[in-house]
Amino acid sequence: MMKIKIRGPHGSNKLELPDGKDTTVGTLHAMIESVTGIDPSRQRVRLADSTLLGLPNEAAIGHAISAQDLVTVEECRDDDCAPPEQAGKRARLQPTDGAEVLQLTEMGFPEQECRDALAACGGNLDHALARLLGEVVPAMAPAPVSSPPQSLRFLTYNLWFDPLEQQSRVKGLAGVIASCAPDFIALQEVTPTLFYLLATNLGGFLDDYHCSQPPLGAPYFTMLLARKRFVASPTEFRRQSFPGSQQGRDLVSLRCDLGGGIKLAVATSHLESALPPYKGVALGGGVRKLQLAHSSDWLPAGGDVIFGGDMNWDDGGEEGAPLLATEQSWTDAWTKLHPQEPGYTLDSSTNKMLGFYKRTLKKRLDRVFCREEAYLVASIRMVGTEALGPTFQRKVKGEMKTLPLYPSDHYGLVVEMHRRKE
């Protein structure tokens, strides 16, 4: 394994590159953007050896990756990169609900100047800081959606961060994702290495997407990706942490203007896992109920909304029906279209890779909730339900068994929404 480090104004992450893997421009672009928020196809970057790249520059990138154990990527707004002290300030920026002015004033800027900068930059925290520092503020061109599309496709998938045959599984995951051709991709249990492997296997497929930035220092996290026709910059994604979460859970969302007066919000989450007491705190349905309530409050009350992810919900447990399923404004896509089918997305009786589990698990953990205004839920289906081909050995009840490999321990869900006929 070759270890590299990608560093940028929003922090850094260490990544492990499997030996012999080619790193293409598209793959590195995806990694840079996911960690730093920089879109390398539009901006220049500087590598640790001071090579200034006007991307795309495949030869220089390939040389840098193969020749160095450490690759540092810094955004270049002008002829030179931002001074280290400015980059340090920018690394601390993390948008939080109602705290943007406070974050800027804590850096020593006058309050009124902070408010003026935020107002001039449409509330964009990074651009407001650049304005206060006297830097050139990048133009925020609107996403090139000229008219509302007739359909929208959303994929949610828990990738499973377990190291079990990870490279083979990720190859299968990439195939499933690419075959779905979604407009929006919601991923849970993503690690830096897992996303690197996924980007490597997807190659140029990700060139058409912007992706949310991972939280600093998190071992695993959720990610939201959207086609560039719907979003102008990765800074438009918003990550809001659930108060009191013992597992670092949050809501990642995006708001889009589809044209014609139609607004769309897309979001994903991985609600608190049902585990024994965690750090002395019992984790039960009450925690997930509260997190769903926060999600409903944070998402817009009007317009179309697609909210999907690993809800960790157990209808037969203490939770009861999910809050969003009891409100008339929300639609549970699965129960609307398949009311007679259980919809288990974690099912050890059909996912034979989980044959080493001590008990049979059948749970509809993954769900997609929608608010239907201009668009209606037209279809929902499971993906990743077929074995990949490779097998692995695992001891089951004291005996070694050969088990088939699946992309993940969860099945993914693909939802299609169609424009309402006027």
Side-chain angles (χ1 to χ4, degrees), residues 281-394:
V281 179
L283 303 178
V287 177
R288 289 182 286 280
K289 282 184 177 181
L290 188 60
Q291 291 173 348
L292 268 188
H294 282 304
S295 300
S296 182
D297 290 342
W298 291 341
L299 292 169
D304 291 88
V305 180
I306 308 174
F307 173 34
D310 182 353
M311 306 298 176
N312 271 318
W313 212 267
D314 184 357
D315 291 304
E318 62 181 286
E319 289 101 325
L323 170 68
L324 303 190
T326 63
E327 297 183 1
Q328 291 185 350
S329 61
W330 289 98
T331 297
D332 184 323
W334 188 270
T335 57
K336 174 184 178 178
L337 299 178
H338 304 288
Q340 304 304 318
E341 299 179 25
Y344 300 135
T345 56
L346 178 66
D347 189 347
S348 59
S349 69
T350 58
N351 187 335
K352 301 300 183 181
M353 178 177 69
L354 306 180
F356 58 88
Y357 278 16
K358 293 181 179 179
R359 59 191 178 96
T360 300
L361 291 178
K362 292 174 175 283
K363 295 182 181 294
R364 190 164 74 95
L365 300 182
D366 305 84
R367 310 197 180 198
V368 180
F369 298 105
C370 302
R371 278 201 182 118
E372 303 168 293
E373 288 196 7
Y375 291 84
L376 298 174
V377 176
S379 68
I380 182 171
R381 59 189 174 92
M382 290 188 195
V383 294
T385 58
E386 301 293 330
L388 297 174
T391 59
F392 66 102
Q393 297 286 316
R394 182 62 65 93

Side-chain angles (χ1 to χ4, degrees), residues 20-59:
K21 285 281 185 183
D22 293 329
T23 301
T24 65
V25 171
T27 299
L28 190 61
H29 278 199
M31 294 313 305
I32 292 173
E33 185 173 327
S34 70
V35 176
T36 68
I38 303 171
D39 181 359
S41 65
R42 299 183 184 178
Q43 296 161 269
R44 292 173 298 161
V45 299
R46 185 187 296 282
L47 299 180
D49 64 358
S50 296
T51 301
L52 186 65
L53 302 179
L55 295 179
N57 188 329
E58 187 163 8

Side-chain angles (χ1 to χ4, degrees), residues 213-237:
Q213 301 155 19
L216 297 178
Y220 67 95
F221 41 85
T222 54
M223 288 190 73
L224 189 60
L225 294 85
R227 288 193 186 275
K228 292 180 179 178
R229 65 172 302 205
F230 296 109
V231 55
S233 163
T235 59
E236 295 185 29
F237 294 93

Side-chain angles (χ1 to χ4, degrees), residues 54-293:
L55 295 179
N57 188 329
E58 187 163 8
I61 291 177
H63 172 74
I65 292 293
S66 61
Q68 300 179 155
D69 290 331
L70 177 69
V71 175
T72 302
V73 180
E74 297 176 340
E75 181 176 11
C76 294
R77 295 182 179 273
D78 240 320
D79 290 336
D80 224 338
C81 289
E85 63 272 14
Q86 294 183 6
K89 288 182 178 179
R90 189 172 287 108
R92 296 200 299 272
L93 285 180
Q94 295 186 50
T96 56
D97 194 23
E100 290 87 352
V101 174
L102 179 60
Q103 290 191 69
L104 293 173
T105 55
E106 286 180 343
M107 295 178 188
F109 299 108
E111 181 177 343
Q112 189 55 51
E113 290 186 20
C114 296
R115 294 185 182 279
D116 292 344
L118 283 165
C121 298
N124 186 293
L125 197 56
D126 285 314
H127 292 179
L129 177 59
R131 186 183 182 92
L132 291 167
L133 292 171
E135 300 177 352
V136 176
V137 179
M140 289 290 291
V145 177
S146 56
S147 60
Q150 291 302 307
S151 64
L152 299 167
R153 188 174 298 165
F154 173 89
L155 166 68
T156 180
Y157 214 152
N158 182 318
L159 303 184
W160 197 30
F161 50 43
D162 194 282
L164 173 68
E165 301 292 335
Q166 198 169 75
Q167 292 195 38
S168 295
R169 287 197 303 106
V170 170
K171 185 176 180 181
L173 285 166
V176 171
I177 292 172
S179 67
C180 293
D183 296 306
F184 303 96
I185 306 172
L187 304 176
Q188 302 86 44
E189 292 197 21
V190 186
T191 67
T193 298
L194 189 55
F195 185 67
Y196 170 78
L197 292 172
L198 187 62
T200 299
N201 281 278
L202 285 170
F205 178 83
L206 289 182
D207 292 349
D208 191 36
Y209 293 84
H210 281 309
C211 51
S212 61
Q213 301 155 19
L216 297 178
Y220 67 95
F221 41 85
T222 54
M223 288 190 73
L224 189 60
L225 294 85
R227 288 193 186 275
K228 292 180 179 178
R229 65 172 302 205
F230 296 109
V231 55
S233 163
T235 59
E236 295 185 29
F237 294 93
R238 188 178 194 188
R239 186 180 295 272
Q240 294 166 279
S241 298
F242 292 129
S245 172
Q246 300 296 310
Q247 298 171 322
R249 303 300 166 87
D250 52 29
L251 179 80
V252 183
S253 61
L254 172 70
R255 300 190 184 192
C256 310
D257 185 346
L258 300 185
I262 298 177
K263 307 293 185 182
L264 171 70
V266 183
T268 188
S269 187
H270 184 187
L271 301 186
E272 214 85 356
S273 300
L275 297 173
Y278 182 81
K279 296 183 178 180
V281 179
L283 303 178
V287 177
R288 289 182 286 280
K289 282 184 177 181
L290 188 60
Q291 291 173 348
L292 268 188

